[in-house]
Every structure is written in structure tokens, then in C-alpha cells.
Amino acid sequence: MRRFAALMLLPALLAACAGLPDPRGLLGGRDSDPAEPDRLAIAAAESGELPQGVPRLRLQIGGRSASAALIQQQGSRRLWRAPGGLVVATDGARVVGTAGLSTIITGTRFDGPDPLENPAELLRNSAQSRRLVDTAGASRRPETMRFGIAFDCRLRAGPAAEAGFVLIEERCRVAGGPAIVNSFWAEDTQGRITHAEQWVGEGLPMMRLQFP
């Protein structure tokens, strides 16, 4: 059964950035406008102004770090917003949508369950997964949109270099592009994923995340 991982979050994600300017050439993205502000730079500079007592997602792209506050939660699906209009949607530890970058993820659909839902099982057996990802340029012009990019992945887990953690590596074959390796670190006692490094769009460095 096909699971639509981001459908409930992405309308709110896109609305969160409605009316805001597009970013300025963010880290080599393919749909940039030099006249527009860099939202990641704003997020990095103003993350200290986030309200206290709200769960925060810590993220890093390239050499810039920022914090995003939780603004919506529905089960395992969460929506995080950083100052300047940078928004990240997650399903568990998986990034399933973004806004405010020069390439954005507008949809993620899984064929079957996501193996990341059960990290402990990956220690016993590797797993395969397939998902389809939709992306667009920051302007969302039709010529920048790509639909149904297929990620065919295998996930394996083993001891991490850091004591007390398990490293889950996800190696994905992507049609028409280079292989992608995502990494997730989980506590070896409870299996909770605490931090990750993930692909978040063509032309962008990997996004590093630290979960609250």
C-alpha cells in the first residue's frame, strides 16, 4: 500500500512560505535569483530569537547552521520553521519536504513502509525501500519541476564510531543521477534516531540534522 508521507504537511509548508521572496543562489541551486535574500543566512543569524520552550530542530547546510521551531505535529509528521522562511517537514527522522531553499522538496511518496520506522530491525536484517520524490526550483516555475524521481534504496545498520550509537546507512540509486548515501544515528538502547545527514535536493549539500 502506497503511503503518502508528506501530503498532510506540505500544504501548510507551502503556505508558510507564501508571499516570501525566493532565495539568492543558495549553495549552487538551479533556480536562483540574485536580487532575493538568502533565507538560510537569515535563519543562521536569527535563530537565537526563536521562542523559548518550543522543540527545536538543529540543521546545517554547508557551513551554515540554524534552528527551526516546531510549528505543527501530526503523529510522526512534524513541520519546522526557521527565521527567514526556511521550512523543513519531517516524518520521523526522514525529511519529506522543504521550502525556502533554491531547490525544494514538494512531495515524498513511499512504496510500502519506511524501514527507518524500526531501526532495531535493521541491525538484524538489511532492508530495501523505494520512494518517489517531487522537487521544484524556488520559483516553482513549471520548467523547474520534477515529478516522481525514483529512489531505490538499501538500508544497513551497524555499530557507530560513537559509543552507544548505531549507524544506519541508506544507499540509493537514482535514475539519471549519482548514487546518494544518507546516514542516520540511533541510540543502541531505545533505537531513537538522534541525528542524521540527508539529501535535500539537487545542487544542495547534504543537510545535517539534530533532533530534539
Side-chain angles (χ1 to χ4, degrees):
M1 177 179 180
R2 186 181 295 272
R3 183 165 63 90
F4 292 87
L7 287 182
M8 298 300 293
L9 282 177
L10 287 179
L13 183 150
L14 297 176
C17 289
L20 291 174
D22 294 330
R24 182 194 57 202
L26 178 57
L27 300 170
R30 56 188 175 84
D31 185 37
S32 57
D33 184 343
E36 301 295 353
D38 184 334
R39 293 183 190 163
L40 184 57
I42 296 172
E46 299 181 4
S47 288
E49 301 176 12
L50 289 174
Q52 298 297 316
V54 177
R56 300 185 186 188
L57 175 72
R58 188 69 178 167
L59 59 92
Q60 179 181 351
I61 301 180
R64 292 175 177 166
S65 299
S67 293
L70 180 66
I71 59 173
Q72 181 180 329
Q73 181 170 359
Q74 199 167 45
S76 63
R77 302 173 186 178
R78 297 179 179 180
L79 195 64
W80 313 84
R81 181 179 174 125
L86 175 61
V87 182
V88 178
T90 58
D91 190 346
R94 173 88 62 189
V95 174
V96 294
T98 59
L101 300 175
S102 55
T103 300
I104 59 176
I105 299 174
T106 58
T108 302
R109 304 177 296 283
F110 284 85
D111 285 337
D114 184 355
L116 281 181
E117 293 176 355
N118 191 355
E121 179 61 28
L122 292 171
L123 279 172
R124 294 185 287 269
N125 300 291
S126 63
Q128 290 182 301
S129 71
R130 178 180 171 85
R131 64 183 179 274
L132 302 176
V133 178
D134 303 333
T135 66
S139 67
R140 302 185 185 90
R141 293 194 300 263
E143 63 268 24
T144 70
M145 296 180 178
R146 297 182 64 193
F147 298 98
I149 304 170
F151 283 67
D152 292 294
C153 309
R154 176 170 289 276
L155 294 88
R156 294 184 172 89
E162 186 177 355
F165 284 86
V166 170
L167 171 61
I168 301 167
E169 286 191 340
E170 178 185 56
R171 297 180 179 272
C172 302
R173 291 180 289 106
V174 183
I180 292 169
V181 180
N182 296 321
S183 301
F184 305 86
W185 286 264
E187 297 172 334
D188 61 7
T189 52
Q190 299 180 350
R192 183 179 70 91
I193 295 175
T194 60
H195 46 297
E197 183 177 89
Q198 302 179 52
W199 178 93
V200 289
E202 180 184 347
L204 295 174
M206 303 289 277
M207 179 182 284
R208 297 179 179 179
L209 305 106
Q210 183 175 349
F211 300 96

